[in-house]
């Protein structure tokens, strides 16, 4: 194991302590539990709050997207484990400014269970909540079962759009609709080249022989749709992009946002080599890339690999992406 | 080998093509040679130009720091290889706005040779140049030979300060003095946990058995000052920080900027665990952390490891760090 950590059981709390020490002006913990983080100026009166969360091990997801024009709060669990319903509820109370709270997070069983319980607790205190689930991973379910797909890196488009809608004063229903609209028009496909090593056990989270790749892999190592010998970056770009174009029904003249996301260990250089081919395929198909993000936005500790997310744009979606935003890990405008 | 690349010999050019396609509004290539990149608005009349460069494989270094309030141009070579003198000269001409050009890059033999040749070529065309070398790696030479030290991640402080000085209209001598002042007050120490795999050969750039660490390692795998069993993050933080505090002569009441830099494969989570301990040591010593940067700022492809840079601050240095800047990889203000 090649990890810069102390006791594995302290990994998550020490990482959070580091984030809070590094960014005191941008985030704070509302109470004793450091696993709940809110933007420094929360709660904001008459503005919809946005609470996200999930397991640790995906930085900048989730903690990195708490800030102006993004999420209002985050509750996180242990590595790859859901936060508790009480933590989510505490986060909810800390950001409720009277306009309701959107729960926006990835579609995983443990997270859904705990966020739903938190919604019940919030209702008892007259805090209105709505839920929108990230479910952009096209490899996890076919199109006709897209409601059951897992949520992966594409959720950052929804954070950005919902955050912008909340910032301008949209109602809870409107903020939820903006997030849902983004998610219905976002599709992601990943590729894994090496497994994640779990800090607590020092063991690989899944098995992937050297020199092989897995297309469609999830951010916790969930099985994909193809395993075989590692291909060239251009071939991989084709394998990632074609199913997304089909899934979103993209055709010549459409405008898109592109996210080439590193899973952790893959160098930024390789992400740009991938982006290059994605851009060329888009040109070939008559698609215009209006926004692009290349870097590490949702990782899986030190997994080598990448994911490609496409968002079909219209004027409203693009305006929401372009609105100002600022968090320790994300800046726009 | 687990690399998302095409033909290894095309790796650098395809990566550059990806960067240019992704950021057309921020950077451009002034001529046919894509390995020369300049900020979109270069040359800027009566403003000092800043040219940097070096080998590929260190993103965001060097290409990531070309933009407003940062470097004006970059010339890069193959992986871990210097650009040619002609490429540096072309970059120089492309950013010369009549106020002279600062060469600001890391102290490596091949780079020094080629930048010096380019300075001679520039002189023949009446472009005045001055040179400041990044030489912040305290493990590479003892204090009394600090002029011979290698340059590593700490150079980004100098980019930021020199870029701010150039932006506000300082003369070439003043911009060079600002960069030199930063470099004399910056010290860096690295730790490597796994080697880089060179794309052209598929071989590890150096040997480091699993479970071992090397303190003081260079960004090309140059030998460090201690090799042994991997220690805890807190112990590593002590090993990185104590020599820097001594080298800079820091004492209670001093103000510092901190850069915890990932070498490539080390997760952001671990960098924050390291930052946490660095911050605590600073507190213990009575040092105030006024600025901090945690993330990947200067990498070595997929090397696992990190480096710690400290900059001793005064009001002028802090003001230069806080001035606005914007490039595809760096934002301030």
């Amino acid at each position: 194991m090649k990890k810069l950590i102390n006791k594995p059981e302290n990994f998550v709390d020490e990482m959070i302590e580091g984030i809070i020490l590094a960014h005191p002006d941008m985030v704070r913990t509302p109470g004793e539990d450091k696993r709940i983080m809110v933007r420094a100026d929360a709660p904001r009166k008459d503005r919809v709050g946005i609470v996200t969360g999930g397991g640790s091990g995906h930085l900048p997801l989730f903690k990195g997207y708490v800030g102006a024009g993004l999420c209002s709060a985050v509750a996180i669990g242990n590595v790859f484990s859901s936060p508790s319903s009480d933590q989510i509820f505490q986060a909810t109370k800390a950001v409720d400014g009277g306009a309701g709270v959107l729960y926006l997070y990835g579609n995983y069983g443990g997270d859904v269970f705990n966020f739903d319980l938190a919604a019940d607790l919030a209702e008892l205190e007259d805090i209105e909540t709505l839920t929108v689930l990230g479910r952009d991973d096209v490899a996890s379910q076919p199109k006709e079962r897209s409601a059951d797909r897992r949520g992966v890196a594409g959720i950052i488009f929804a954070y950005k759009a919902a955050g912008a809608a909340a910032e301008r004063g949209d109602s809870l229903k409107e903020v939820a609709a903006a997030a849902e609209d983004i998610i219905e028009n976002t599709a992601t496909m990943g590729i894994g080249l090496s497994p994640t090593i779990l800090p607590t056990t020092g063991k690989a989270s899944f098995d992937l022989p050297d020199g092989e790749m897995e297309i469609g892999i999830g951010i916790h190592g969930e099985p994909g749709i193809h395993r075989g010998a590692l291909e060239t970056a251009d071939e991989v770009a084709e394998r990632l992009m074609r199913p997304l174009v089909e899934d979103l029904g993209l055709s010549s003249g459409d405008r898109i946002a592109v996210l080439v996301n590193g899973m952790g260990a893959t160098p930024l250089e390789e992400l740009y080599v991938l982006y290059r081919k994605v851009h060329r395929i888009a040109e070939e198909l008559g698609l215009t890339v209006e926004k692009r993000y290349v870097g590490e936005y949702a990782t899986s500790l030190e997994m080598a690999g990448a994911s490609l997310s496409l968002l079909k744009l219209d004027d409203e979606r693009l305006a929401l992406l372009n609105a100002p935003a600022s968090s320790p890990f994300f800046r726009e405008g």
Side-chain angles (χ1 to χ4, degrees), chain A residues 78-293:
Chain A
N78 284 322
V79 171
F80 299 172
S81 302
S82 174
S84 72
S85 56
D86 184 62
Q87 288 171 318
I88 298 163
F89 176 53
Q90 298 301 328
T92 307
K93 285 200 291 188
V95 300
D96 171 45
V101 173
L102 176 66
Y103 288 169
L104 178 56
Y105 60 96
N107 186 23
Y108 295 92
D111 296 319
V112 172
F113 178 81
N114 285 297
F115 270 92
D116 282 354
L117 275 178
D120 293 342
L121 296 171
E123 193 180 356
L124 294 175
E125 299 212 5
D126 289 326
I127 302 172
E128 190 185 2
T129 66
L130 286 175
T131 294
V132 173
L133 294 175
R135 37 186 211 282
D136 53 315
D137 186 347
V138 301
S140 60
Q141 294 287 350
K143 179 86 176 166
E144 59 273 18
R145 296 188 55 195
S146 61
D148 298 330
R149 285 176 173 168
R150 297 186 296 257
V152 285
I155 198 168
I156 73 142
F157 293 139
Y159 288 160
K160 182 68 193 66
E167 207 74 30
R168 74 185 175 194
D170 282 14
S171 71
L172 178 58
K173 270 190 187 167
E174 290 166 333
V175 173
E180 179 64 25
D181 173 65
I182 292 283
I183 283 166
E184 286 174 5
N185 286 284
T186 299
T188 298
M189 180 79 89
I191 174 177
L193 304 181
S194 76
T196 296
I197 310 298
L198 297 173
T200 39
T201 63
K203 302 267 193 265
S205 58
F206 58 95
D207 169 63
L208 187 60
D210 198 46
E212 293 205 359
M213 67 177 186
E214 181 152 344
I215 299 283
I217 198 163
I219 57 172
H220 311 95
E222 294 92 339
I225 55 176
H226 167 84
R227 183 180 281 204
L230 178 57
E231 300 174 353
T232 68
D234 284 3
E235 288 164 338
V236 168
E238 295 274 2
R239 281 192 184 266
L240 300 181
M241 183 141 178
R242 300 290 174 182
L244 305 183
V245 168
E246 188 185 327
D247 196 84
L248 296 173
L250 297 171
S251 60
S252 182
D254 282 341
R255 297 177 295 159
I256 55 173
V258 172
L259 165 62
V260 176
N261 171 58
M263 294 287 200
T266 290
L268 189 51
E269 282 83 356
E270 296 176 27
L271 301 182
Y272 275 104
V273 170
L274 263 188
Y275 177 79
R276 168 192 149 276
K277 183 64 177 178
V278 167
H279 190 104
R280 295 302 185 202
I281 298 171
E283 284 178 338
E284 179 195 309
L285 297 174
L287 307 173
T288 305
V289 182
E290 298 261 9
K291 291 286 283 185
R292 72 288 292 170
Y293 308 82

